Amino acid sequence: MSVTLRDVAELAGVSAATASRALDPTGSASSATRERVADAARRLGYVGNTAARSLRTCRSDTIGLLVPDVRNPFFTDLAYAVDKAASAAGLTVMIGNADEDGAAQDRYLAALERHRIDGLLVVPQGGATPGLRRIVETFPTVAIDRDAGLGVPVVASDSEAGMHALVDHAVALGHRRFAIVAGPQSTSTGRVRLDAARERLAHHDIRLSDGDVIEGDFRLESGLAAARRLLDHDPVPDLVVAADALMALGVLAVIRERGLRPGVDVGLAAFDDNPWFHVLDTPVTVVAQDTTVLARRALDALLRRIAGEDVDVAPIPTTLVVRRSLGETTTVKENAHE
């Protein structure tokens, strides 16, 4: 098994970014840190990618952005916001669509590496693939939305606070029989949102059975399939919470297909907004994320990584947008987290 920069950093007791700078003759690091990192590298037999480091001394003013699915409105908005923020900073963005597939992700990463990008913004596909680990060791990298355990800054919305606010709101309306179309548990986003829902429901003395939760994949088709199973329950759930907007659209289609009335016969709520949710006959209550802030924070973090700085990023607040799909009689916006 090959020794990675992360292994060297752990042995030296520093971050991967600090280890990279310490091993780079042009990097900013104290002599003590350089000695400690060099000693760790020698003990582990680490051989760095000097060719990749030399490439980084020549700026291309181009960054990479890899998203899981450009058809998902959240990632479409995110890509647009990143491109606008990067343009304002004088940068060009090369965008790739990994199609929620690790192999496709690695193919795009290899292409971005060949184009000598200055840094990478990535929404990881599940775990850390070999290609992703390699590029993290080669180029400054910031993850968005999902944490794949890469040891890089992760710029993400506060999913936990957002889901807590949504559950509290639904319970206050009298809902007790919850069903959830969860995101893929191979992603940190899917896990955090489901865990937060379970935790907050338990706070209200509500327990979810195995049949109340169906794992989707953040796509429309999985929302359709999950909703058909969940709405076969007797009795029908009070409400269905979908972990993203596309799966929520699938749930809504099945509610209509069954002749049920959203907000009356069965409630519906989503994590993520959609441009159409507020103009439906029954507008959908959501936890909204601010893609503009996500993009700007992610780009700022990446530029600081490119400059050789360590970065610490706080979760970005979400907003509970109350409409009428849970049986509400008024519509308001509430901060889910300050």
Side-chain angles (χ1 to χ4, degrees), residues 8 16-17 63-64 99 108 125 134 137 143 154 159 183 195-196 198 204 215-216 222 224-225 252 271 310 321 326 333:
V8 174
I63 63 171
D99 205 26
Y108 269 111
Q125 319 303 300
R134 185 183 68 253
E137 293 173 6
V154 180
S159 287
D195 289 347
R198 289 187 187 276
H204 293 289
E215 181 178 349
S222 68
L224 290 166
L252 179 61
F271 204 110
D310 288 331
V321 183
L326 294 179
K333 287 188 178 183

Side-chain angles (χ1 to χ4, degrees), residues 2-231:
S2 61
V3 177
T4 68
L5 181 62
R6 180 184 301 282
D7 298 325
V8 174
E10 288 178 355
L11 182 59
V14 298
S15 70
T18 299
S20 178
R21 292 197 301 274
L23 291 171
D24 186 343
T26 65
S28 58
S30 68
S31 57
T33 299
R34 287 186 186 279
E35 280 186 27
R36 193 161 74 251
V37 173
D39 179 65
R42 283 193 297 271
R43 289 166 60 186
L44 293 173
Y46 174 75
V47 179
N49 190 338
T50 55
R53 282 201 298 272
S54 67
L55 288 177
R56 291 211 307 275
T57 63
C58 301
R59 291 286 299 273
S60 65
D61 290 329
T62 300
I63 63 171
L65 171 65
L66 191 61
V67 297
D69 188 348
V70 292
R71 298 172 301 176
N72 188 314
F74 170 73
F75 295 119
T76 303
D77 290 347
L78 179 66
Y80 177 80
V82 167
D83 185 65
K84 295 294 285 185
S87 178
L91 300 172
T92 299
V93 183
M94 297 184 66
I95 301 175
N97 171 44
D99 205 26
E100 294 286 8
D101 178 78
Q105 171 182 264
D106 284 0
R107 287 196 297 273
Y108 269 111
L109 291 175
L112 291 171
E113 191 172 6
R114 290 193 299 272
H115 280 83
R116 303 184 182 184
I117 56 173
D118 293 332
L120 173 70
L121 297 174
V122 59
V123 183
Q125 319 303 300
T129 59
L132 187 53
R133 288 200 179 280
R134 185 183 68 253
I135 206 166
V136 164
E137 293 173 6
T138 307
F139 297 99
T141 301
V142 171
I144 307 178
D145 187 57
R146 302 176 185 177
D147 186 351
L150 297 166
V152 301
V154 180
V155 179
S157 298
D158 195 337
S159 287
E160 182 177 21
M163 190 59 81
H164 283 186
L166 177 57
V167 169
D168 288 347
H169 171 66
V171 171
L173 292 170
H175 295 292
R176 302 290 296 180
R177 295 193 307 275
F178 282 68
I180 296 178
V181 182
Q185 297 303 285
S186 60
T187 66
S188 63
T189 306
R191 293 191 300 271
V192 169
R193 291 177 188 172
L194 178 56
D195 289 347
R198 289 187 187 276
E199 176 187 312
R200 202 60 182 171
L201 286 169
H203 171 80
H204 293 289
D205 200 28
I206 298 172
R207 299 290 187 275
L208 292 170
S209 68
D210 291 342
D212 295 329
V213 178
I214 296 178
E215 181 178 349
D217 61 6
F218 289 143
R219 292 177 172 176
L220 175 69
E221 292 78 11
S222 68
L224 290 166
R228 289 179 181 128
R229 290 170 59 188
L230 291 170
L231 295 182

